[in-house]
Amino acid sequence: MADVTSTWTEPSNTPLALLLLGKGTDPASERGVDCPGDLPAPSDPDLVARATAAKAALGDRVFVLGHHYQRDEVIRFADVTGDSFKLAQQAAARPDAEFIVFCGVHFMAESADILTKPSQRVILPDLAAGCSMADMAVLGQVETAWEHFQDLGIAGDIVPVTYMNSSADIKGFVGRNSGVVCTSSNAKRALTWSFEQGSKVFFLPDQHLGRNTAVLEMGFDLDDCVLYDPHKPHGGLTDEELRNAKMILWRGHCSVHGRFTIDSVREVRERVPGVNVLVHPECRHDVVRAADYVGSTEYIIKALDAAPAGSAWAVGTELNLVRRLALAHPDKQVMFLDRTVCYCSTMNRIDLPHLVWTLEELVAGRVPNVITVDEKTAREARVALDQMLALP
Ligand code: 13P
Ligand code: SF4
């Protein structure tokens, strides 16, 4: 049998990456690891056995969802793995499960709470597992922008679209203004629908997904897009720029995918002739333009499944997923697009100690870290989420 690690070269480590892997300590960065009970030590040799036993004891009462960026040690306990879209669909798939343990980040758990029955409780094993991109759009800022669009008389032409990677109250804003949520796997469908409802789109909070989809998949020009900076008066845009724009992009980005550069693409093409460059649409526009394939995490997984043996792939997305794909495809050369490691630090906060703690708390009759969206926000956000799930 082939050596499964034979084609994988680990990108260079940085001290930060070692911390994220739990192979170092930095008390100053341990915000959020405190749990109201005893968090097992990462070195506890019984963690796998404890998680297995607790999950078995809970049986069908618990349903564990795992995003593709989660660590291997967590993914092995997921009942379902998926990208943001699949997990949103799957959240409601087990209406009899009392507890949905969401191994992902906060905005995903909020969406799961909105889409599940009121009696089901959604649990995030570490409350510090947020998303820096989602944090870049705050409701007050978005409402200020919208008021300005109303003053200009253009709000009636605009359909707000928010990426799944946004807080529930941003989804609520989009729902009450007749817009739609999208994910990286249905952004083109969401924009197509939106341009049937209005002549402009206000796209939150990922400028790159908005621009890449509009320009590379819908045929818009870069000049049709303007960048709204919430830290500048009127977004830093003139009235004329806003009136002429087709896509008003919020100035937000993913700090993980933003690390890949055009130099990473050039370098790997020189080093590995014939390599296929496959990236996530949260990457910058020049990187996506220079790549051969672009798609969500689910798309990336399927592309590698379908790739012929012997082919070479440089993948621009989160490292936990790329490493797992490399190990799953020893007959293909799968490498990370960048030379240095690139984890999503907040996804990585969900580790085996937090999962064990969560499951054992549930076995003991305590329900930790419940994510609850208030009723009004949930109702409005659900309109935008349901619109997404109903997209043709
Ligand atoms: P998808 O799961 O839609 O591919 O998005 C990736 C991501 O960044 C999730 O936070
Ligand atoms: Fe947020 Fe980027 Fe991490 Fe996804 S990968 S959770 S968008 S920071």
Side-chain angles (χ1 to χ4, degrees), residues 67-69 82-85 87 105 107-108 131 133 163-165 183-185 254 257 280-282 295-300 317 344 347:
H67 188 270
H68 291 310
Y69 294 163
D83 64 1
S84 310
F85 181 66
L87 294 180
V105 289
F107 69 79
M108 297 179 181
C131 165
M133 179 203 285
Y163 191 21
M164 178 67 95
N165 303 21
T183 71
S184 55
S185 52
C254 167
H257 293 92
H280 194 280
E282 287 174 17
S296 75
T297 48
E298 201 72 21
Y299 171 93
I300 289 171
T317 193
C344 173
M347 284 274 182

Side-chain angles (χ1 to χ4, degrees), residues 158-159 161 191 194-195 199-203 246-249:
I158 302 178
V159 178
V161 178
L191 285 190
S194 300
F195 280 109
S199 57
K200 293 174 187 291
V201 159
F202 180 32
F203 195 92
K246 294 266 186 291
M247 289 285 291
I248 303 170
L249 305 170

